[in-house]
């Protein structure tokens, strides 16, 4: 770390500097990290949301949840200054929701409309009432304090509640505390209902009627919804994957493909007609028992007649290849065929259209939310196809948010510590998450690379997207480390990616591994940002947490665990390096071999065999490739009983490494497999005879 820990004052003295309780009009500084400020109130908010329980030590909790995000936020603004303006635009739609949360949760539900100051005063004067408060922190028991304070301020009503409702004449201290909670719960419910009833009228928030839409006008504006389904004219061959692969060695003409179908297709219904499937609609089930072929549409997207698909599987796991003989383009349906359906759709809300200039919500008669705002809000927060029902629910919710935001401001809650902490938390989350996304989004990947990927796999995340719509998905998939794709493909060859080419496996691998990769890369970026930042921590009662997601630290810990015999723990550390530093070829190669060795030593032979296969295929010139290949062949024979595959691997080994020290062992294994184990039996008999 560039800066040494700067301990100016203790946290206790900071409380004194900021008033009697440290939680109030002023915020108490915990840390400065490259200009980003972290406050005691930020920690208090997180701790409240955790229920006052820490699953880690406090210094790690602070790093994981506050300091690392502050470091990433500082790095984000430094590298991408525009993110600050983007955050402000994002928060403009979020502010009323934050104010609503502060009002409903903290002001009503927790505080029961009492101020922090009067609750704190009651807490300090009655500490003996809260023996379960082991934290010694007022904020952790503030709802309970509010309950007891309410009971004390309404002593007569509470006494009647004890006697008449609960039938308690001489309650124990425990019974009395339970009664205060239930007594206050009734009040909380009443407060919530009281404040929600008529809140729109109270704060002059109006929901505006949406203009009716003419069916013909809707038809003209949304012709894309009334197109015939596009389709294809197809021929096919149905056979096992190995047979189909041989047929794909060259690109056939239509006549050649028809001959292939007659000679090879196992689908008798189409084989007698030269493999003809007919005119089929996109994403519909195919006739003649073929059924649904999930990847067919993406394989054909953007292709010209004469194209032959790779091997594709139907949902019943039967393999096919298809010849694209023609394209049936989508055509607009005449209005008189759809007019009744449009009218009904507009009536029931399934068809919905609002001009972006339409005002949806007003405050004191002035517009505060339009359909243009709704479009932006949906794109940012909801991300769903809009219909009338969803639209009405969102408008109703936001209108209530506008009202609660006014109520919060009226109660000065926009100056409360909870509000300030929530705004800071939202900003750090936004900046840190968008910084990581920029690092993995592949912004600078060339257009021809994206087009080539699309030609191979179609839209890898959202099936059916055309190239332009799929660009963001393609960038993410193209930016995913090649080492991760190759390693996963070779490791999972037996089941996960069986019968798939490397290119075909890419979307599946991305879906399986992207989340873990992003999490560990995010941890790495945060650790690196924090380690290079200028850090000042002001709480001398908490030692600084040193982040561990640094390659040298992870490797040292993994090696140490391995040497200590804690192999599974070592494996997990090596795996972190693999994911977080996947672009580093030398590190990836090193940990891949160590992980294979650990799996072998732990007798996880199925995984180890895949790991060794990945290793020598990815790094054929590595000094460890020879050992990896032999180990795999031995394991396939000795531990897994997969003798055909073992023979294939060992014979390839002998050809690749004719001068290997392991040559004799490999040859013996080959001869033993070919003898159906007779060599091993004879050897055992000889050993037993000698004994």
């Amino acid at each position: 770390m560039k800066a040494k820990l700067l301990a100016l004052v203790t946290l206790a003295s900071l409380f004194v500097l900021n008033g009697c309780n440290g939680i109030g009009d002023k915020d108490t500084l915990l840390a400065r990290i490259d200009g980003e400020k972290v406050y005691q109130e930020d920690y208090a908010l997180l701790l409240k949301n955790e229920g006052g329980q820490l699953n880690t030590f406090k210094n790690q909790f602070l790093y994981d949840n506050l300091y690392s995000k502050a470091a990433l936020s500082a790095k984000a603004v430094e590298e991408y200054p525009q993110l600050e303006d983007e955050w402000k635009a994002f928060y403009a739609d979020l502010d009323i929701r934050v104010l609503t949360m502060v009002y409903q949760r903290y002001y009503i539900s927790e505080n029961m409309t009492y101020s922090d100051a009067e609750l704190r005063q009651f807490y300090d004067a009655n500490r003996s009432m809260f023996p379960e408060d082991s934290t010694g922190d007022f904020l952790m028991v503030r709802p309970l304090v509010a309950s007891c304070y309410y009971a004390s301020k309404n002593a007569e009503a509470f006494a009647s509640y004890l006697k008449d409702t609960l039938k308690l004449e001489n309650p124990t201290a425990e019974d009395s505390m339970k009664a205060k909670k239930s007594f206050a719960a009734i009040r909380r419910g009443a407060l919530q209902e009281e404040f929600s009833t008529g809140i729109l009228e109270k704060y002059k928030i109006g929901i505006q009627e949406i203009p009716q839409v003419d069916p013909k006008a809707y038809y003209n504006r949304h012709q894309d919804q009334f197109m015939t389904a596009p389709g294809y004219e197809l021929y096919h061959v149905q056979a096992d994957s190995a047979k189909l692969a041989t047929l794909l060695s060259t690109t056939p003409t239509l006549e050649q493909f028809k001959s292939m179908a007659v000679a090879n297709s196992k689908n008798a219904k189409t084989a007698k007609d030269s493999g003809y499937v007919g005119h089929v609609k996109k994403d519909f089930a195919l006739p003649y028992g073929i059924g649904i072929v999930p990847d067919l549409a993406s394989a054909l997207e953007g292709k010209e007649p004469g194209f032959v698909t790779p091997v594709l599987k139907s949902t019943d796991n039967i393999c096919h290849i298809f010849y694209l003989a023609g394209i049936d383009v989508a055509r607009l349906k005449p209005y008189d065929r759809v007019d009744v359906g449009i009218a009904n759709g507009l009536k029931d809300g399934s068809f919905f259209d609002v001009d972006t200039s339409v005002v949806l919500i007003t405050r004191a008669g002035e517009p505060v939310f339009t359909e243009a705002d709704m479009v932006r809000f949906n794109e940012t927060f909801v991300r769903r196809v809009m219909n009338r029902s969803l639209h009405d629910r969102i408008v109703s919710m936001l209108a209530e948010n506008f009202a609660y935001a006014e109520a919060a401001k009226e109660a000065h809650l926009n100056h409360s510590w909870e509000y300030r902490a929530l705004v800071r938390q939202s900003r750090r989350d936004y900046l840190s998450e968008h910084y990581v996304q920029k690092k993995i989004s592949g912004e600078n990947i060339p257009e021809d690379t994206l087009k080539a990927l699309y030609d191979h796999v179609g839209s890898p995340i959202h099936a059916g997207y055309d190239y332009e719509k799929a660009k963001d998905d393609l960038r993410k998939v193209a930016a995913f480390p090649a080492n991760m794709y190759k390693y996963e493909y070779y490791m999972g060859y037996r089941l996960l990616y069986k019968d798939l080419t490397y290119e075909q496996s890419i979307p599946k691998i991305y879906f399986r591994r992207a989340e873990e990769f992003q999490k560990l890369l995010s941890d790495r970026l945060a650790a690196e940002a924090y380690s290079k930042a200028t850090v000042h921590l002001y709480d001398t009662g908490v030692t600084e947490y040193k982040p561990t997601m640094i390659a040298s630290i992870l490797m040292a810990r993994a090696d140490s665990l391995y040497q200590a015999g804690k192999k599974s723990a070592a494996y997990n550390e090596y795996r972190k390096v693999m994911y977080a530093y996947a672009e580093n070829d030398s590190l990836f190669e090193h940990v891949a071999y160590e992980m294979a060795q650990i799996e072998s030593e732990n007798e996880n032979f199925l995984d180890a065999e895949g790991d060794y296969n990945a290793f020598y295929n990815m790094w054929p010139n590595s000094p460890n490739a020879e050992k990896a290949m032999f180990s795999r062949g031995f394991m396939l024979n000795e531990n897994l009983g997969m003798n055909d595959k073992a023979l294939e691997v060992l014979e390839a080994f002998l050809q690749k490494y004719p001068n290997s020290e392991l040559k004799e062992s490999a040859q013996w294994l080959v001869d033993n497999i070919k003898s159906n184990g007779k060599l091993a039996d004879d050897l055992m008999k000889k050993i037993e005879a000698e004994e």
Side-chain angles (χ1 to χ4, degrees):
M1 176 164 311
K2 292 192 299 182
K4 295 182 179 179
L5 184 66
L6 180 62
L8 298 180
V9 287
T10 66
L11 191 58
S13 65
L14 281 170
F15 280 168
V16 173
L17 290 172
N18 283 278
C20 64
N21 56 41
I23 302 288
D25 292 336
K26 297 181 180 179
D27 292 319
T28 306
L29 196 61
L30 272 183
R32 287 180 187 269
I33 301 172
D34 270 353
E36 290 288 320
K37 297 177 182 179
V38 180
Y39 295 92
Q40 169 68 12
E41 289 72 15
D42 301 330
Y43 171 67
L45 182 72
L46 285 169
L47 201 58
K48 283 179 68 64
N49 292 337
E50 294 287 329
Q53 301 297 316
L54 294 182
N55 296 321
T56 58
F57 292 109
K58 182 177 179 180
N59 62 346
Q60 185 177 349
F61 182 84
L62 286 167
Y63 170 80
D64 288 343
N65 295 280
L66 293 172
Y67 297 166
S68 63
K69 289 185 177 181
L72 271 183
S73 297
K75 193 72 174 171
V77 174
E78 176 189 341
E79 290 190 29
Y80 305 102
Q82 71 274 18
L83 278 178
E84 192 71 73
D85 290 333
E86 291 174 13
W87 145 252
K88 291 174 182 176
F90 170 85
Y91 190 76
D93 287 324
L94 192 63
D95 190 53
I96 60 168
R97 300 172 73 192
V98 171
L99 284 167
T100 297
M101 179 181 178
V102 170
Y103 191 89
Q104 291 180 330
R105 176 176 172 181
Y106 300 110
Y107 186 61
I108 297 178
S109 184
E110 281 199 8
N111 286 27
M112 299 176 67
T113 73
Y114 298 124
S115 70
D116 261 3
E118 57 186 317
L119 291 178
R120 166 74 75 169
Q121 186 177 16
F122 180 79
Y123 171 77
D124 289 338
N126 298 276
R127 287 294 299 274
S128 61
M129 292 178 64
F130 309 102
E132 61 188 78
D133 176 22
S134 59
T135 65
D137 189 332
F138 157 69
L139 289 174
M140 296 305 103
V141 292
R142 190 173 65 178
L144 181 60
V145 175
S147 298
C148 294
Y149 186 54
Y150 172 67
S152 71
K153 287 181 70 69
N154 297 272
E156 188 174 331
F158 178 62
S160 176
Y161 177 72
L162 283 173
K163 181 180 178 181
D164 300 334
T165 304
L166 300 182
K167 310 299 183 186
L168 292 174
E169 293 291 344
N170 296 297
T172 64
E174 183 180 355
D175 288 339
S176 180
M177 182 59 78
K178 288 181 180 178
K180 289 174 184 176
K181 291 179 182 178
S182 60
F183 182 63
I186 296 170
R187 176 58 179 160
R188 284 188 169 93
L191 279 172
Q192 290 167 358
E193 184 175 351
E194 175 187 326
F195 280 101
S196 63
T197 301
I199 193 169
L200 297 185
E201 293 79 6
K202 180 177 180 181
Y203 292 100
K204 299 181 175 60
I205 303 298
I207 297 176
Q208 305 304 298
E209 285 291 328
I210 296 174
Q212 294 292 321
V213 178
D214 175 68
K216 184 64 179 289
Y218 184 90
Y219 170 81
N220 290 333
R221 284 198 296 268
H222 300 279
Q223 292 187 354
D224 58 311
Q225 295 182 13
F226 307 106
M227 306 293 288
T228 60
Y232 314 97
E233 184 182 9
L234 299 176
Y235 289 77
H236 87 131
V237 179
Q238 177 181 314
D240 61 67
S241 58
K243 182 65 178 177
L244 293 174
T246 63
L247 298 179
L248 288 171
S249 57
T250 59
T251 302
T253 64
L254 178 56
E255 292 306 315
Q256 290 169 333
F257 191 90
K258 288 179 180 181
S259 298
M260 289 179 185
V262 171
N264 300 284
S265 186
K266 293 183 178 180
N267 188 316
K269 295 178 180 178
T270 57
K272 66 181 182 182
D273 197 12
S274 301
Y276 189 59
V277 178
H279 291 262
V280 299
K281 293 182 178 180
K282 181 180 177 181
D283 298 323
F284 279 56
L286 277 63
Y288 306 114
I290 300 171
I292 298 290
V293 183
D295 296 325
L296 178 61
S298 59
L300 295 175
E301 187 75 40
K303 302 301 189 296
E304 297 295 328
F307 171 75
V308 179
T309 70
V311 178
L312 302 174
K313 286 185 177 181
S314 58
T315 52
D316 53 4
N317 217 33
I318 294 175
C319 296
H320 308 259
I321 56 175
F322 294 88
Y323 186 97
L324 179 60
I327 299 172
D328 299 332
V329 298
R331 292 180 173 82
L332 179 64
K333 298 174 184 177
Y335 177 67
D336 58 9
R337 281 184 54 193
V338 296
D339 55 348
V340 174
I342 295 175
N344 291 335
L346 290 170
K347 185 177 180 180
D348 65 26
S350 56
F351 287 160
F352 186 65
D353 187 23
V354 182
D355 188 274
T356 55
S357 65
V358 170
V359 175
L360 302 176
I361 303 173
T362 60
R363 181 173 55 227
E366 295 297 319
V368 293
F369 196 79
T370 67
E371 181 62 22
D373 298 319
M374 172 64 86
V375 171
R376 185 183 67 250
F377 185 86
N378 184 31
E379 290 174 349
T380 305
F381 298 105
V382 185
R383 301 185 183 93
R384 287 178 58 186
V385 176
M386 193 62 66
N387 58 36
R388 181 60 185 262
S389 176
L390 178 61
H391 190 276
D392 287 350
R393 291 201 306 272
I394 293 174
V395 170
S396 178
M397 176 197 73
L398 291 175
E400 191 172 82
N401 287 167
F402 275 109
Y404 272 112
E406 291 300 304
K409 293 173 186 175
E410 187 176 79
H412 304 292
L413 298 182
N414 53 328
H415 300 292
S416 67
W417 72 267
E418 292 100 336
Y419 174 75
R420 295 193 300 271
L422 280 166
V423 173
R424 288 191 295 262
Q425 182 187 69
S426 299
R427 178 179 174 275
R428 280 191 293 266
D429 286 345
Y430 181 93
L431 292 175
S432 58
E433 289 170 10
H434 280 69
Y435 177 74
V436 173
Q437 286 299 321
K438 282 185 174 295
K439 292 299 181 184
I440 65 174
S441 64
E443 290 181 309
N444 299 319
I445 293 176
E447 188 86 4
D448 57 352
T449 301
L450 297 179
K451 287 181 177 177
L453 178 61
Y454 185 79
D455 287 341
H456 280 114
V457 304
S459 181
I461 298 176
H462 296 94
Y465 275 18
D466 61 24
Y467 173 71
E468 288 301 322
K469 287 180 67 177
K471 269 188 179 179
D472 287 342
D473 294 346
L474 291 164
R475 287 191 185 96
K476 291 177 183 177
V477 173
F480 193 75
N483 281 335
M484 290 299 305
Y485 281 131
K486 292 175 183 176
Y487 180 78
E488 179 74 13
Y489 178 69
Y490 287 120
M491 187 179 66
Y493 78 96
R494 192 172 49 252
L495 293 174
L496 293 171
Y497 313 111
K498 185 181 179 184
D499 299 327
L500 294 178
T501 65
Y502 173 71
E503 287 79 11
Q504 289 171 335
S505 72
I506 282 174
K508 290 186 69 173
I509 295 171
Y510 181 83
F511 274 111
R512 280 178 57 81
R513 300 304 182 198
E515 185 176 351
E516 185 177 2
F517 164 71
Q518 182 172 330
K519 169 66 171 64
L520 291 172
L521 178 62
S522 177
D523 291 345
R524 166 197 165 181
L525 293 172
E528 291 176 344
Y530 183 85
S531 298
K532 295 174 183 177
T534 300
V535 176
H536 300 291
L537 306 182
Y538 297 98
D539 183 356
T540 57
V542 180
T543 58
E544 183 181 16
Y545 177 79
K546 301 291 186 179
T548 59
M549 280 298 293
I550 304 290
S552 58
I553 297 173
L554 290 171
M555 289 299 298
R557 188 159 65 180
D559 292 343
S560 176
L561 288 166
Y562 196 1
Q563 292 164 12
K566 298 177 180 179
K567 296 175 184 176
S568 296
Y571 180 93
N572 291 334
E573 296 302 299
Y574 286 131
R575 185 180 176 86
K576 290 178 185 177
V577 176
M578 173 178 280
Y579 278 73
Y581 293 87
E583 84 290 350
N584 187 314
D585 291 339
S586 60
L587 268 180
F588 200 105
E589 177 185 342
H590 179 77
V591 300
Y593 188 74
E594 296 299 326
M595 289 163 66
Q597 291 287 85
I598 290 172
E599 293 285 42
S600 176
E601 293 167 17
N602 282 345
E603 299 186 358
N604 297 325
F605 297 122
L606 282 171
D607 289 335
E609 180 268 329
D611 288 342
Y612 283 132
N613 181 49
F615 186 86
Y616 70 75
N617 274 289
M618 290 178 68
W619 300 284
N621 298 319
S622 166
N624 288 320
E626 179 182 338
K627 290 182 284 184
M629 193 172 189
F630 176 81
S631 297
R632 182 186 178 217
F634 177 86
M635 196 175 294
L636 284 164
N637 169 233
E638 182 70 17
N639 305 113
L640 297 174
M642 300 169 67
N643 290 338
D644 290 344
K645 179 61 72 174
L647 188 62
E648 176 188 322
V649 172
L650 291 166
E651 287 183 333
F653 174 86
L654 289 168
Q655 185 175 359
K656 185 174 179 61
Y657 302 106
N659 301 316
S660 171
E661 293 180 357
L662 297 167
K663 176 182 178 181
E664 290 186 12
S665 297
Q667 187 62 60
W668 188 91
L669 288 169
V670 167
D671 294 341
N672 183 56
I673 292 170
K674 289 182 176 180
S675 72
N676 292 320
K678 187 175 183 301
L679 288 182
D681 290 341
D682 291 346
L683 180 61
M684 287 301 300
K685 289 176 182 177
K686 183 178 178 181
I687 293 172
E688 289 170 359
E690 291 176 353
E691 291 177 347

